[in-house]
Every structure is written in structure tokens, then in C-alpha cells.
Amino acid sequence: LTQGLPQHAQALLPWYRYTLRCVEVLLPLARAATGPGHERREECLRGLSPLARRYVDLLLSGDRRGAASAILGQLQAGLTVRPVYLEVFQPALRAVGQLWQRGLISVAVEHYITAATQMVMSQIFPLILGAPRNGVTFVGCCVATELHEVGMRMVTDLLELDGYDTWYLGANTPDEGVVELMAEKGAQVLGVSA
């Protein structure tokens, strides 16, 4: 690509590559919303609550700020954390997984939606911290080679809401580290996602 380009034009190559990466992410979003798979897309999204549907639609259009605002606005209006996790995030991510599985969105779009959901979960987390403690310690992790961590994060957050002291270790956790942490913290419960 750089052969024969004048020096001043070569300076634009990083911007060109960045633009290509943006198109790789945005083009599937546009196709998912209007392309020939629209009916199959609707089939995947059928049954979502109005809030879950709005959340997914906003993320499919690339509006992560709007999706976060939709959730945070409902929490400010009185919705509690548990229904957000169980009635919005869980079915929304399941529907997004079906869209990916059927080839209606790319893995990049699926990762974008997952990352956006993790961002919103992080914004919600302070609402979870005020729960009275029950004296039980829980360690949640994903086994080595397991990169799908959102489910275990949701379980850990909901247990924190129920008063557990939680240690969420994330994806691809080495076995030895889990055992050491459990012993060090005196954890009574272990959750493993594989």
C-alpha cells in the first residue's frame, strides 16, 4: 500500500487504517438494521421487554451512550438493579448471541454490545454496594481459556446485592490463583464459568 506514495501521503495511512476499522464495525450495524436479514433479526429480538428491546436497538445502532442513559434513567425512576440484570441485560445479551450465531451481526458488533453492557454494569455497581453483609464470601471466575465473563459477572454482582462479600476474578483465571485466593479470603462459595 505504501509503495509509490509520496512521503506526505504516507502520513495519512494511520487515519486511513483507522477509518477502515470504523467501517468494519459500523457497516454490520447498518446491515443488521435494514438488510435482508431484517425478518430474522426481528425473530431473535421477539419477546424482549420494551426496555430490553430499546437497549438492544440503541446498541445495534452504535449508540452506547443512549443505551446507558436508557438503563440509568430507569434506575433513577425507581427500577431496581435485579430486574435490570435479569430482565434487560440477560435476555438482551442472549438475543445478541442469537443474532451473531445466525450471521446477522459480526463478532465485532457482538463484542461491542458486550463491552457496552459491561460499562453500564460498572456504572450501576455503586447501587449494589450498600446491601447489608451476610458474612458469606463468594469467589466467581471463569476457567482458563474461558473468555465469556459477563454471566459470571452478573452472578457475582447479584450475590453482592444479596449481601455476599464477592471476589470477581474475570475471564481466563488460572486454577492455582483461584485456590490461593479462596484460602486467603476464607471463601465459602466458589462459582465457576466454563
Side-chain angles (χ1 to χ4, degrees):
L1 185 63
T2 59
Q3 288 180 337
L5 284 178
Q7 187 67 27
H8 68 277
Q10 289 184 18
L12 296 174
L13 282 177
W15 291 106
Y16 174 75
R17 289 184 181 112
Y18 171 76
T19 303
L20 285 178
R21 285 194 305 275
C22 289
V23 168
E24 288 171 359
V25 170
L26 295 175
L27 191 56
L29 289 171
R31 286 184 181 145
T34 60
H38 184 72
E39 296 80 21
R40 293 187 326 169
R41 176 180 180 254
E42 289 303 312
E43 186 180 305
C44 294
L45 302 176
R46 191 177 304 123
L48 291 177
S49 70
L51 180 57
R53 177 60 190 256
R54 183 167 174 232
Y55 180 73
V56 171
D57 285 343
L58 285 165
L59 289 173
L60 285 172
S61 71
D63 187 1
R64 126 181 121 214
R65 287 180 187 86
S69 292
I71 299 300
L72 298 173
Q74 289 298 308
L75 287 165
Q76 289 175 348
L79 186 64
T80 59
V81 172
R82 189 175 310 279
V84 168
Y85 273 55
L86 298 177
E87 298 168 20
V88 179
F89 293 155
Q90 184 179 21
L93 292 174
R94 185 179 300 122
V96 167
Q98 290 174 352
L99 290 169
W100 170 79
Q101 187 177 31
R102 295 179 184 193
L104 299 173
I105 62 172
S106 69
V107 72
V109 172
E110 185 268 334
H111 284 203
Y112 168 80
I113 292 171
T114 300
T117 300
Q118 290 172 311
M119 178 201 64
V120 177
M121 289 169 67
S122 295
Q123 291 175 316
I124 291 171
F125 193 72
L127 300 174
I128 294 171
L129 292 176
R133 305 290 84 207
N134 65 18
V136 179
T137 300
F138 172 84
V139 173
C141 63
C142 303
V143 297
T145 73
E146 176 57 65
L147 301 176
H148 297 92
E149 63 180 299
V150 175
M152 181 52 66
R153 164 83 186 274
M154 290 175 66
V155 168
T156 304
D157 285 0
L158 291 174
L159 288 173
E160 183 81 29
L161 187 64
D162 287 341
Y164 288 71
D165 293 311
T166 64
W167 289 80
Y168 171 67
L169 307 183
N172 198 23
T173 308
D175 300 343
E176 302 79 22
V178 174
V179 172
E180 288 172 14
L181 183 78
M182 289 201 60
E184 178 185 323
K185 301 303 173 189
Q188 297 92 338
V189 183
L190 172 65
V192 179
S193 177

